[in-house]
Amino acid sequence: MLKKNLLFIPILLIAIILSCIENHISDEKTVNGSSNLDKEIEKKVDSVLNLMQLNEKIGQLVQYSGKWNATGPSSSKSDQYKLDKLKKGEVGSMLNITSVASIRETQKIVMEHSRLKIPLIFAYDVIHGYKTIFPIPLGESASWDLDIIKQTASVAAKETAASGIQWTFAPMVDISRDARWGRIMEGAGEDTYLNTVVGVARIQGFQGNDLSKTNTIAACAKHFAGYGFAEAGRDYNTVNIGDNELHNTILPPFKAAAEAGVATFMNSFNEIDGIPSTGNKVLQREILKSGWNWNGFVVSDWGSIKEMIAHGYAEDNKHAAEIALNAGSDMDMESYVYEAHLEDLVNEEKVSEQLIDDSVRRVLRLKFELGLFDDPFKYCNDEREETEIYTEEHLAIARDGAKKSIVLLKNETNLLPLSKNLKSIAVIGPLADDKDTPLGNWRAKGEYNSAVSVLEGVKHAVGEHTKIYYEKGAELTIPTLKSGQNQFLHPLKFNNSDTSGIPAAVEAAKKAEVVIMAIGENAYQTGEGRSQTEIGFFGVQQQLLEAVYAVNKNVIIVLMNGRPMDISWAANHMPSILECWFLGSESGNAIADVMFGDYNPSGKLPVSFPRSVGQEPLYYNQKNTGRPYSQKHVTFSGYTDSPKTPLYPFGYGLSYTTFEYENLKLDKSEISRSGEIKVSIEITNTGYRDGEEVVQLYIRDLFGSLTRPIKELKDFKKLMIKAGETKIVNFTINAEKLKFYTVNKKWEVEPGDFNVWVGGDSNATLKATFTVLE
Ligand code: BGC
């Protein structure tokens, strides 16, 4: 270790000496606001910057991928090219290099060969766990449990850091209202408030309160901005939204991320109203860096700078580099255009060196905060890599997170929870004994086939006297996809139409007291590039379901999926449905915990479930329109062939017990614009089991300078209520909750009447009203 440390002493020493002579805090910081900057770090950053030549500065703004594990069109440069650049100190960061040994090797190249020995920062997409895999983000958001969300992110950070990496490209805080969009699995669903609080919890989990610790990592709020609003749910597609939608719906989670001190942002592939986000100066410079006073750096998305040519917004690579840097994209991920053109652009005065300095300063700042200048190898600890990844303790947290993420959608005959003394159970379906699908997409180092399957979970839960019949019934798996293989294979190739497994499944169902039916999606049907026009059951799953139901009515559907699916037929016929997403390493055990009543389900949907794909995009906080409803005429905003309401609304989820809401009270009926109202509600557990409930508060601003949604989630509390017990829950409504981005392009509370509802989902009917006075 001592020898390694000696390698980087020169730069640190010079930096410290210079920092003593030089005491200025740069103008740029005043421009961007520097109240929360650490002065000591700023001095060091400035002194390093003073030593740098232009090529080295530009180098800090370059990020390469390791060849393996590419997440976009594969990298166009050879390993030798990258090696030469590393040696010259012309690379600031690497992604997709994942092990202490490889990271040490790569960092060593820079430390041994480059002039200034500025350490690299290593990044990886740790989206829902590193090797211990937690529920996919959409699923985990269904827990509405910010403590467990923070905890799983912090375990993910610990494992990531133990493998030498310091930076994850998460959380994704894109609002997504369209089930067709494959990346809906990566965020917290359709609601702005839920995405905001979940995003902040994840950032706190990843970053802790000290980035220099070796068990925390830098987070990245992505994709800035509007990516989840791709037209028709088609990934990378055009986004056409106005200022109202942008500010009121899309930006709040990003602003909260910036305020929570997220280290980095990633911009997005899409354009908004004709301008690709990567080249959007208003978003990146005016709003993010100046407006929000944020001092981190923005990494481009994979190749997104270069893609501005395909968008028709940049003429060529050089132009793309010029636009992106001027617009505030600090780091070029895999476009290779900063390194190729920024130097010329500076010489031609098309990009100012001051702006380059600002970007470099932002990158160096994080490297100092992470402690990489003190020890570039500080995250490279072989022992930790051995002992701190995929531990029993982490798996226990994965199980806890997984069971809290399950949503009970239907339990009409109280078929659930099951007794552990049943004589026979049939476990049927393509996902029933699947040990891989529960890991979901973006599973980082989650090992192929390493999850606990539903069948295994059931076997662990019941005694020997319960006879279990297992039949697959249908195919849905990608047979050969192993860890490290390209996850970007096209999933439609694997849509299997073989019905030969159905008769055996029917026989098993006939023999059993109850049927557990594990169906849904393949893990790779959602994730990047996985947009679909159909969101029902692929392959012959529907046929299988109907055939099984014909011989046994006691069917529990265990639904695994990364998006809201069209499950209308099942919802009409099946007695019980459990929404189980892709729950990660401990999936089967967590599902069994819920099915056999060891855990009373408490999850609530973070996204509306449609009656059919034709309703998409579907979300609860829609506008009223001028023609909201008519029973007599067709000329209102609805469908002629379907209700416009969802099958299951946002915020919905059942429990094995029941809750009754009453006595919604406000402490006053009028307030000033800056005033506040106390809201209280009584909730009684009217069933026979203790259970947790997510108490949700919605408001509606009835009239505004811009039209307002018919309901907006503004707060929630998750609490345990014992059987028979009544609890009073209090909320406060203040200006923070009432203001919106108005026609004046300011966040303001407007006077007028408001409705407030409190209940167990977005259909809450218990209502009160109040007025905000002029
Ligand atoms: C995705 C990003 C991801 C990046 C690096 C891109 O294709 O859009 O979310 O972080 O690849 O893997």
Side-chain angles (χ1 to χ4, degrees), residues 168-183:
T168 176
F169 297 132
M172 183 186 100
V173 293
D174 295 314
I175 310 293
S176 36
R177 297 163 161 180
D178 198 324
R180 293 169 298 181
W181 191 52
R183 295 195 87 166

Side-chain angles (χ1 to χ4, degrees), residues 265-368:
F265 264 52
M266 183 185 290
N267 57 33
S268 60
F269 289 122
N270 58 285
E271 66 161 73
I272 298 179
D273 204 17
I275 303 179
S277 299
T278 310
N280 194 322
K281 202 172 181 169
V282 172
L283 272 180
Q284 300 177 111
R285 288 213 183 275
E286 288 178 23
I287 295 178
L288 173 61
K289 291 180 180 174
S290 290
W292 298 344
N293 209 7
W294 178 75
N295 299 304
F297 71 87
V298 180
V299 64
S300 81
D301 204 345
W302 181 290
S304 71
I305 301 183
K306 209 178 159 127
E307 284 177 18
M308 286 197 287
I309 304 171
H311 274 288
Y313 192 69
E315 248 178 311
D316 52 25
N317 285 345
K318 189 173 174 183
H319 190 206
E322 179 189 337
I323 295 172
L325 198 287
N326 283 330
S329 296
D330 299 305
M331 186 178 273
D332 171 355
M333 182 201 290
E334 283 285 328
S335 279
Y336 300 92
V337 298
Y338 278 9
E339 63 196 59
H341 301 291
L342 279 185
E343 196 154 349
D344 287 346
L345 287 164
V346 170
N347 293 332
E348 293 162 21
E349 297 185 355
K350 288 185 173 152
V351 168
S352 80
E353 190 160 350
Q354 213 194 342
L355 281 188
I356 301 230
D357 285 355
D358 175 54
S359 295
V360 176
R361 207 175 259 126
R362 289 167 184 273
V363 174
L364 295 180
R365 185 176 291 141
L366 179 59
K367 291 184 177 181
F368 272 110

Side-chain angles (χ1 to χ4, degrees), residues 63 69-73 95-96 124-125 127 169-170 183 186 222-223 227 236 266-267 269 300-302 333 442 488 528:
Q63 184 184 56
N69 230 340
T71 50
L95 75 145
N96 293 334
Y124 193 46
D125 289 279
I127 307 298
F169 297 132
R183 295 195 87 166
E186 259 184 84
K222 72 185 188 186
H223 304 84
Y227 185 40
Y236 319 115
M266 183 185 290
N267 57 33
F269 289 122
S300 81
D301 204 345
W302 181 290
M333 182 201 290
W442 286 119
F488 287 86
E528 188 173 350

Side-chain angles (χ1 to χ4, degrees), residues 29 89 148 199 267 293 304 385 469 518 551 644 663 677 686 766:
K29 272 176 286 155
I148 191 71
N267 57 33
N293 209 7
S304 71
E385 189 175 37
Y469 304 102
V551 298
K644 69 176 177 186
N663 287 330
I677 286 194
T686 47
L766 214 51

Side-chain angles (χ1 to χ4, degrees), residues 22-33:
E22 191 179 336
N23 236 339
H24 85 273
I25 298 285
S26 83
D27 292 338
E28 199 59 49
K29 272 176 286 155
T30 326
V31 172
N32 286 333

